[in-house]
Amino acid sequence: MAGGRGAGRVWGWLADAALIGYFVFALFPIAWMLILSLKPADQLFSTYFSFTPTLGSYRTVLGDSEGIPFVRFFVNSLVVSVGAVALSLLVGLPAAYASARHRFKGSENLMFTLLSFRFAPELTVIIPLFVLYQKLGLFDTYVGMIWVLQLVTLPLIVWIMRSYFADLSPELEQAALLDGYSRTQAFFKVALPLVKPGVAAVSLLAFIFAWNNFVFPLILTSSEAQTVTVGALSFLGGDRPKYNLTAAAALVSVVPPLLLALTIQRYLVRGLSFGAVKS
């Protein structure tokens, strides 16, 4: 018995060491970006870990002293990401509820077609979208970016929320209908409050996907509606790429999704585990 406990303890230590090693490996790129962002320009390539830390890169990025309006790009990302998620929730929640409660011939094919928009590479649609946006005056506008990001956020919200609504017992809404509620009232007053954790979780995921999107703002914007994912690369232009400024810009752009995740983490955990165990 003692030998078995000793062997189990060794395996436990090995497992812990492997987890710590993976943790260090996964976080090393972030740590390296932090180091780059704190380095002065004259020490970027001369040293690795021995340097004089400075917040100058962050002041430059947030102060527009390089002629690159990164703060405006940051605000643009907030506007288009929040707008895209809000519009997707407005359309996607009723669609998810309807698809979970009303099945008809071809409904599964319709849902798969919607999901295929999320699977399709963005480069397959970017050229016709570019032409259409130029013709319709949507190029480099908030409306154009919010609209095109529906290809990213809407299928995600519909498919995930569909499973949440499907896990709810239909008897709850039937009881509300017997009490005199309309189908719309049953949705807003009975079904929707019960899936609030799921809404919080899927909203965060959709926001992250919209915030991190690169291809659409790269091709469909130039300056007015450009986002941080493209704007951060502006510091790499010129004769000498400014890696410290790019690193600072990248770390600043991580703040909104991180703060949002920390704010709703209680709902996020409940939402991701919702329906995992049925009574």
Side-chain angles (χ1 to χ4, degrees):
M1 295 293 292
R5 286 196 297 269
R9 193 177 298 114
V10 171
W11 280 111
W13 290 340
L14 291 175
D16 291 342
L19 286 174
I20 293 173
Y22 177 77
F23 181 76
V24 172
F25 173 78
L27 289 184
F28 181 77
I30 300 177
W32 189 254
M33 292 286 284
L34 179 61
I35 291 172
L36 276 178
S37 69
L38 295 175
K39 279 187 172 184
D42 57 351
Q43 298 183 34
L44 273 179
F45 306 102
S46 59
T47 60
Y48 288 103
F49 299 105
S50 178
F51 59 93
T52 304
T54 177
L55 295 177
S57 297
Y58 293 93
R59 286 192 291 267
T60 301
V61 167
L62 299 177
D64 194 18
S65 60
E66 289 286 325
I68 298 173
F70 181 79
V71 174
R72 191 179 73 190
F73 298 155
F74 189 90
V75 173
N76 290 346
S77 286
L78 284 176
V79 171
V80 300
S81 298
V82 172
V85 173
L87 180 59
S88 294
L89 288 175
L90 182 65
V91 176
L93 290 177
Y97 176 75
S99 65
R101 288 290 183 260
H102 304 289
R103 303 295 178 89
F104 54 89
K105 185 178 180 180
S107 61
E108 292 300 320
N109 292 333
L110 180 63
M111 291 301 298
F112 183 79
T113 301
L114 177 64
L115 185 62
S116 67
F117 292 132
R118 186 67 190 90
F119 289 156
E122 295 166 352
L123 292 175
T124 60
V125 298
I126 197 63
I127 294 178
L129 278 175
F130 177 79
V131 175
L132 286 173
Y133 270 45
Q134 291 280 6
K135 297 290 186 181
L136 298 175
L138 294 175
F139 180 80
D140 200 22
T141 63
Y142 286 154
V143 174
M145 280 304 301
I146 291 173
W147 186 260
V148 76
L149 285 176
Q150 298 308 300
L151 295 175
V152 177
T153 56
L154 186 59
L156 180 72
I157 288 176
V158 172
W159 266 91
I160 294 180
M161 291 309 303
R162 183 194 190 200
S163 64
Y164 286 116
F165 286 121
D167 286 338
L168 293 179
S169 175
E171 283 77 11
L172 296 172
E173 294 128 80
Q174 291 172 4
L177 295 176
L178 290 176
D179 287 339
Y181 283 26
S182 66
R183 176 64 71 176
T184 302
Q185 290 174 324
F187 167 69
F188 282 107
K189 296 184 178 181
V190 178
L192 193 56
L194 292 175
V195 297
K196 278 184 178 179
V199 174
V202 77
S203 298
L204 174 62
L205 293 176
F207 179 85
I208 291 174
F209 277 107
W211 182 273
N212 291 336
N213 189 269
F214 178 77
V215 174
F216 288 145
L218 176 66
I219 305 299
L220 301 179
T221 65
S222 59
S223 59
E224 295 300 322
Q226 195 169 100
T227 61
V228 291
T229 52
V230 179
L233 297 181
S234 302
F235 297 105
L236 292 178
D239 298 333
R240 186 176 182 182
K242 303 174 179 64
Y243 296 110
N244 54 336
L245 300 184
T246 304
L251 290 176
V252 169
S253 68
V254 173
V255 172
L258 182 61
L259 288 180
L260 184 60
L262 293 176
T263 302
I264 66 171
Q265 61 179 336
R266 177 166 60 94
Y267 295 103
L268 181 61
V269 174
R270 289 176 56 194
L272 292 177
S273 59
F274 186 88
V277 179
K278 297 183 181 179
S279 59

